Amino acid sequence: MKKSCVLRKTLVVSILTLFFVLPSAAVFAAGSEPPPPQEKVYDGKIAGHNVIYVHGFDISDLATKPSDEDIYNSDRLGGFWTEDESKIRRMNWSAAHRVEGHISEQIMHQAIEIADEGFCDGGCVIVSESTGDQVTRHFLANQERWMRNAGREPLNIVATIDFVGAGGGTEVANLITDLANCCFIPQILKDAAGFVVGMVLDFDISDLSGSGIDPENLGVVNDLTFCGARNLATANNDVPRLRVSAGKFANPILEPHLAVINAFLQGADDTLIPAHSSCGASSPDPIDSCSSCVTYQGKRTNVKGPAGLMMNHFPVLMANNYGHGDVTNNNPLGEVTYVNNDFSAGLDVSFDTYTKQVTRNWWELWIEDGTWQYVTDWDTKSLSRLVFENLDE
């Protein structure tokens, strides 16, 4: 035990820094060219249903510990899905707290406001990102009781669309909490880790003074371990969860910070969340795809997919070369393939698709032959836009 903790000691500062800045660090990969003109306008609705957006992990909360009012009034994250804030509603939450603790109270406060407005009387679609998947699952599992106790009807949620969902946990959270709980790491090193995170993210260093990576100061990170994530809101729920997963192998020369994280994650991942989580697999076993017969690149072949899925979780798309922080940006980055298509689960899932057959001569060893399947326009439209345009029917 002592040897293991000592070996990990040298990784504290670098892993924490990479973990917390990753969502923002991945964004620069999107490029500087604007997306091509789009024909269909996103008006805050999907298939006639209003959209509620539930954001992902915001590291700044751990240091600043914002007030509830600051959280409710924050236009945090969202990209494509929150371009017109007046047409959507948010369920914001603070990463400084736990899902079953004050986060639930924050979500409930906003759910009551949404109910009083009648925003979901015609049905709503929740679009969640990253840890928002975990927050959404806990809300859906408890909202009927919560809302009725508050004298309201439960929100009419027809489906969720979960981008790179963290509801199954990540090895990165496992490592950070292990380090925080390791009794052989001096507090001064834990304080140093907090100090470095503060410098990188341009916080007031005094906000992190003495906190380091103490378990009590990790907030929702505790809920992102395999154990924490997969023991939260485990009851079956009848709201369909449409899963959008991403896979990216970071170039160790161009993106060394992401490559380090890749090395800690087993199976396919988006540089932060493993595929078993974003696909909605029923166990944390490493997998290489959301399907047993198609890769993230779209090639039809035998591949290690999930042995089972959580109830009402439907992996629909896999996006190649999209990092964790890229999925809601409005920029095309790589191939997008389909896993399940032409079915109905709250929304009609019917993506326009095509296949490509590649053959080669025996001497053309540099060419990979086979059959690939893609979502139409993957090379000109962003992942989020493809989801919107194909589900908005």
Side-chain angles (χ1 to χ4, degrees):
M1 175 67 179
K2 181 174 182 179
K3 181 179 180 182
S4 175
C5 290
V6 171
L7 290 175
R8 290 176 177 173
K9 187 185 302 181
T10 59
L11 298 175
V12 177
V13 173
S14 59
I15 294 302
L16 273 172
T17 302
L18 292 174
F19 171 57
F20 289 133
V21 303
L22 183 57
S24 59
V27 174
F28 66 76
S32 59
E33 294 185 3
Q38 310 294 343
E39 295 182 358
K40 180 174 281 191
V41 176
Y42 169 57
D43 61 354
K45 294 179 181 290
I46 299 177
H49 302 296
N50 288 328
V51 168
I52 298 173
Y53 175 72
V54 184
H55 63 80
F57 185 96
D58 190 335
I59 170 58
S60 66
D61 295 341
L62 297 183
T64 61
K65 294 180 172 54
S67 68
D68 287 349
E69 285 306 311
D70 288 338
I71 289 294
Y72 301 149
N73 295 322
S74 173
D75 295 339
R76 46 179 54 194
L77 309 174
F80 173 86
W81 299 100
T82 58
E83 288 178 349
D84 189 343
E85 294 279 351
S86 67
K87 295 181 178 179
I88 64 136
R89 295 297 178 268
R90 288 175 169 270
M91 285 186 178
N92 288 348
W93 53 276
S94 171
H97 304 291
R98 301 291 298 272
V99 172
E100 291 184 308
H102 193 55
I103 289 177
S104 295
E105 296 174 8
Q106 292 173 331
I107 294 297
M108 183 59 184
H109 173 85
Q110 295 162 99
I112 289 175
E113 291 185 339
I114 292 172
D116 290 346
E117 183 185 354
F119 188 73
C120 292
D121 288 353
C124 277
V125 173
I126 291 180
V127 175
S128 77
E129 182 177 359
S130 187
T131 312
D133 167 37
Q134 181 81 300
V135 174
T136 297
R137 189 172 80 209
H138 188 252
F139 169 70
L140 293 176
N142 293 281
Q143 75 135 340
E144 182 171 0
R145 174 170 53 87
W146 291 348
M147 297 297 279
R148 294 198 189 283
N149 287 343
R152 274 81 169 178
E153 289 296 313
L155 298 183
N156 180 16
I157 309 298
V158 300
T160 75
I161 304 172
D162 306 304
F163 286 85
V164 291
T170 173
E171 290 93 343
V172 180
N174 288 350
L175 176 59
I176 291 174
T177 55
D178 284 349
L179 292 170
N181 287 292
C182 183
C183 59
F184 295 103
I185 297 180
Q187 185 62 42
I188 189 172
L189 290 182
K190 298 180 181 181
D191 292 346
F195 183 86
V196 170
V197 171
M199 287 192 298
V200 171
L201 299 179
D202 194 28
F203 293 150
D204 182 349
I205 299 303
S206 63
D207 290 338
L208 291 174
S209 177
S211 61
I213 56 167
D214 187 280
E216 295 300 318
N217 295 302
L218 290 178
V220 79
V221 176
N222 292 287
D223 296 320
L224 293 175
T225 63
F226 289 170
C227 181
R230 291 184 172 273
N231 283 286
L232 189 66
T234 57
N236 293 333
N237 191 276
D238 59 1
V239 176
R241 311 293 304 273
L242 306 180
R243 314 293 288 186
V244 180
S245 180
K248 180 175 181 176
F249 183 77
N251 187 311
I253 297 177
L254 300 178
E255 302 169 310
H257 55 298
L258 301 184
V260 171
I261 295 296
N262 269 145
F264 282 95
L265 301 173
Q266 298 183 16
D269 64 83
D270 59 21
T271 66
L272 184 58
I273 299 300
H276 69 76
S277 177
S278 58
C279 296
S282 55
S283 78
D285 296 334
I287 57 176
D288 298 318
S289 172
C290 296
S291 166
S292 60
C293 56
V294 63
T295 68
Y296 274 88
Q297 295 79 18
K299 185 177 182 179
R300 292 178 177 174
T301 186
N302 291 330
V303 62
K304 185 179 180 181
L309 297 169
M310 297 183 189
M311 180 182 177
N312 269 342
H313 283 57
F314 304 92
V316 291
L317 294 185
M318 297 190 298
N320 184 47
N321 201 42
Y322 280 80
H324 189 72
D326 300 325
V327 293
T328 57
N329 294 332
N330 200 13
N331 297 281
L333 296 178
E335 302 95 338
V336 178
T337 190
Y338 57 94
V339 181
N340 294 297
N341 199 27
D342 295 325
F343 70 100
S344 182
L347 297 171
D348 291 331
V349 179
S350 182
F351 288 90
D352 293 332
T353 64
Y354 69 96
T355 59
K356 182 178 74 171
Q357 184 74 38
V358 177
T359 59
R360 65 177 176 85
N361 295 309
W362 66 268
W363 48 269
E364 293 176 313
L365 301 181
W366 62 91
I367 298 177
E368 184 178 6
D369 61 354
T371 302
W372 279 259
Q373 61 182 49
Y374 298 117
V375 174
T376 303
D377 293 332
W378 65 265
D379 53 341
T380 60
K381 296 179 180 179
S382 69
L383 176 61
S384 285
R385 176 158 285 283
L386 289 173
V387 170
F388 162 64
E389 291 191 355
N390 283 274
L391 296 184
D392 187 43
E393 300 294 341

